[in-house]
Amino acid sequence: MYNRVVWAKTYMKKAGLLSDVRRGFFQITERGESVLAKKPGRIDIKYLNQFDEFKTFHALRHEKDSSGADDDAKEDRLGLDAIYIQAKRWQGSVGRPEIQKFAGALLGQKANKGVFITTGTFSKEAAEYAKTVNQKIVLIDGQKLASLMIEHNVGISVVRTYEIKRIDSDYFEE
């Protein structure tokens, strides 16, 4: 149920009916109020398609879904080597079939490298499969993701910093 609410909120934001106030809080926009004033019987994808912003979002989302990869990143500034990224909020374990689909998507994009990120874990079979394919697939589970976020200060705030000092003996030499 939670996932449906999140998607409904996302869809309405993409259509310009809602906006974020701050993390966890959102409000209805003028466009959203206008829609409510019309008292539509149902607000669904068909209804939201009347808004150009939503149409663009929906088209891009389906384009991503068909390729099997969420995004691509360039490894170097010239864009000579692409790395495809799949990120999933996953409860439980990601199995081999998901990694096989991702490997197939990499093959279809003629890509040699991919990163599969999950908030969950990977099954033993998924990890083993990732090691056997010709493409380099890096698996990042929830634990590794949290470590990387802390290491690179993403999504965290520093609570306390300690400063350690030592005497600079060069300062006292003549």
Side-chain angles (χ1 to χ4, degrees):
M1 182 61 140
Y2 170 78
N3 202 29
R4 288 185 181 183
V5 171
V6 171
W7 275 112
K9 186 183 97 166
T10 299
Y11 283 8
M12 288 192 279
K13 277 178 42 185
K14 296 299 181 179
L17 306 181
L18 296 176
S19 66
D20 282 319
V21 178
R22 65 180 186 272
R23 183 177 169 89
F25 292 83
F26 51 96
Q27 69 183 25
I28 192 166
T29 63
E30 285 183 35
R31 180 185 278 177
E33 287 179 3
S34 170
V35 166
L36 282 180
K38 296 174 187 170
K39 298 184 181 189
R42 182 182 181 116
I43 299 176
D44 55 11
I45 291 173
K46 185 177 178 182
Y47 184 87
L48 294 174
N49 268 323
Q50 69 182 293
F51 305 108
D52 290 335
E53 302 90 337
F54 181 79
K55 272 190 214 174
T56 302
F57 160 76
H58 202 243
L60 287 172
R61 185 169 181 279
H62 283 285
E63 186 177 299
K64 285 182 194 175
D65 288 348
S66 65
S67 75
D70 289 341
D71 203 358
D72 69 339
K74 303 297 183 229
E75 186 174 9
D76 57 67
R77 291 179 184 236
L78 297 175
L80 297 174
D81 207 0
I83 301 172
Y84 282 82
I85 302 165
Q86 175 102 9
K88 297 272 187 203
R89 182 177 292 166
W90 203 281
Q91 292 182 344
S93 186
V94 176
R96 178 182 168 140
E98 290 297 318
I99 304 305
Q100 283 179 292
K101 283 188 232 172
F102 183 61
L106 291 177
L107 196 59
Q109 297 292 326
K110 295 184 175 117
N112 295 318
K113 299 174 185 174
V115 180
F116 196 111
I117 304 168
T118 180
T119 54
T121 59
F122 293 98
S123 71
K124 183 180 175 187
E125 295 80 14
E128 287 173 1
Y129 181 78
K131 292 176 187 172
T132 64
V133 293
N134 289 335
Q135 302 96 333
K136 172 74 174 162
I137 297 178
V138 175
L139 303 179
I140 299 176
D141 64 8
Q143 287 284 88
K144 178 72 173 172
L145 178 61
S147 295
L148 288 168
M149 289 174 72
I150 291 167
E151 180 182 339
H152 296 282
N153 294 322
V154 174
I156 65 165
S157 56
V158 176
V159 176
R160 186 170 289 140
T161 304
Y162 295 95
E163 191 173 352
I164 300 173
K165 297 182 180 183
R166 67 176 174 82
I167 295 175
D168 182 2
S169 57
D170 292 343
Y171 178 82
F172 294 103
E173 290 182 13
E174 290 183 42

